[in-house]
Amino acid sequence: MAEIELQEEKVEPAGNPAADVESDETNNSNAEDRHLAKNSRSDLENYRDGDVGVPTKKSGIPGATMNFVNSIIGAGIIGLPGALNKAGFCFGLFLMLLVAMMINYGVRHLVECGLQVRKRSYEETMMHVYGAKGFYMASAAISLFAYGAMVVYHIVIGDTIPKIFQTISPDSILVDRTLVVFLYSIIFMLPLSLLKNMASLEKTSALSFLCVIVIVVTVTIEGARVSPYEDMSGLQANHLLINEQWFAGAGTMAFAFVCHHSSFVVYESLSNHTTKRWA
């Protein structure tokens, strides 16, 4: 009976080595997946979905402000005195304030509209609304605007730097306008244009803004010193109040303040970018 009971006992099947190896590999794979997922979540805290491969350096509000201000007060600021002259001083100040308010409204709502439709650039937003034609139209307009601004920068450098060196050191090689423009393009413009991250320009933008303040203060002091008028009583009424060419002046102001092309770029460079921080 004892032998029969032993024969009836079920023998447990021996373990399968191949199955054990496969189970270990699966556990290791799951552990690696969890590790990668954890790292991915950590990386995604630095940038939004779709930003894979984009540098994670971000700007705070002061740095983003400097970059945005620098995109506004570029070459167009040179034309503001002429715009005031065409519009009339008093009406020109009103136009300048009105244009600035309109630009501010447009830039804020442009980014908000883009976020509503989950688009993260001016061109993509235009494509969402108008299709492929909108995308190409926006791209062409932005490219032409940027090209025109670059040309203006070179013209300003070519018209000012050689004259400064003609006064300081007439024998300097920097009195050659062509050479000055070429050196400016290679030493300054090209390296700054090759940066992939807008946040990297915050210190350069701050320096540029400081230089603009110095220029404005210098022109204000020297302009008052060399002006043929002791006060505004000698100005004609059309130059003091309103001029018939005010519409041309408004166009110059709009060109000086326009910054829609860089709104999404600056917004994306802002750390923890939200509509509240953008506003």
Side-chain angles (χ1 to χ4, degrees):
M1 293 294 294
E3 293 180 358
I4 295 174
E5 290 178 358
L6 291 174
Q7 291 177 358
E8 289 179 352
E9 289 181 359
K10 293 182 180 180
V11 180
E12 294 293 334
N16 189 348
D20 293 339
V21 172
E22 183 178 355
S23 177
D24 292 339
E25 292 178 350
T26 303
N27 292 334
N28 293 335
S29 177
N30 292 336
E32 292 177 358
D33 291 341
R34 287 193 298 270
H35 178 70
L36 291 175
K38 182 179 179 180
N39 290 339
S40 298
R41 286 193 297 269
S42 177
D43 292 339
L44 288 174
E45 292 177 357
N46 296 323
Y47 47 81
R48 298 177 58 191
D49 293 338
D51 280 333
V52 178
V54 177
T56 58
K57 183 180 179 180
K58 298 291 184 180
S59 296
I61 292 181
T65 301
M66 286 295 99
N67 284 331
F68 203 51
V69 168
N70 192 46
S71 69
I72 298 174
I73 55 173
I77 194 175
I78 300 173
L80 289 181
L84 281 175
N85 182 47
K86 290 182 179 180
F89 183 75
C90 295
F91 190 66
L93 292 178
F94 168 76
L95 276 180
M96 191 178 298
L97 180 61
L98 178 62
V99 170
M101 293 175 61
M102 293 175 62
I103 294 295
N104 175 61
Y105 177 86
V107 166
R108 289 172 57 191
H109 284 269
L110 175 63
V111 173
E112 291 176 2
C113 290
L115 296 178
Q116 288 291 332
V117 295
R118 299 183 181 277
K119 304 300 179 183
R120 300 169 50 238
S121 70
Y122 197 167
E123 300 92 318
E124 291 178 352
T125 305
M126 287 287 290
M127 184 173 182
H128 178 82
V129 178
Y130 299 106
K133 293 182 179 179
F135 176 85
Y136 291 120
M137 182 173 63
S139 300
I142 293 174
S143 299
L144 291 174
F145 180 85
Y147 177 78
M150 297 273 281
V151 171
V152 172
Y153 287 136
H154 286 81
I155 292 175
V156 172
I157 292 297
D159 288 345
T160 55
I161 300 301
K163 292 181 180 179
I164 293 175
F165 279 94
Q166 285 176 3
T167 304
I168 299 175
S169 177
D171 297 331
S172 174
I173 61 173
L174 295 181
V175 298
D176 185 353
R177 188 176 191 274
T178 303
L179 179 61
V180 168
V181 172
F182 175 77
L183 293 177
Y184 166 75
S185 302
I186 299 299
I187 298 176
F188 296 102
M189 190 66 74
L190 182 59
L192 293 176
S193 299
L194 294 177
L195 293 176
K196 296 182 179 180
N197 194 349
M198 188 74 170
S200 302
L201 289 173
E202 56 185 27
K203 293 182 176 60
T204 307
S205 298
L207 177 61
S208 175
F209 180 63
L210 179 62
C211 292
V212 170
I213 294 178
V214 172
I215 292 173
V216 171
V217 172
T218 302
V219 171
T220 301
I221 296 174
E222 289 299 312
R225 187 177 65 84
V226 301
S227 174
Y229 305 101
E230 296 182 358
D231 51 39
M232 291 188 177
S233 60
L235 295 178
Q236 298 179 2
N238 60 336
H239 290 291
L240 182 60
L241 299 177
I242 182 172
N243 200 340
E244 61 274 7
Q245 296 181 331
W246 64 268
F247 191 77
T252 304
M253 295 175 189
F255 172 78
F257 289 144
V258 69
C259 52
H260 298 72
H261 57 287
S262 60
S263 55
F264 280 97
V265 179
V266 176
Y267 174 79
E268 290 295 330
S269 70
L270 181 63
S271 60
N272 190 23
H273 42 263
T274 60
T275 54
K276 183 177 180 180
R277 285 169 63 84
W278 173 247

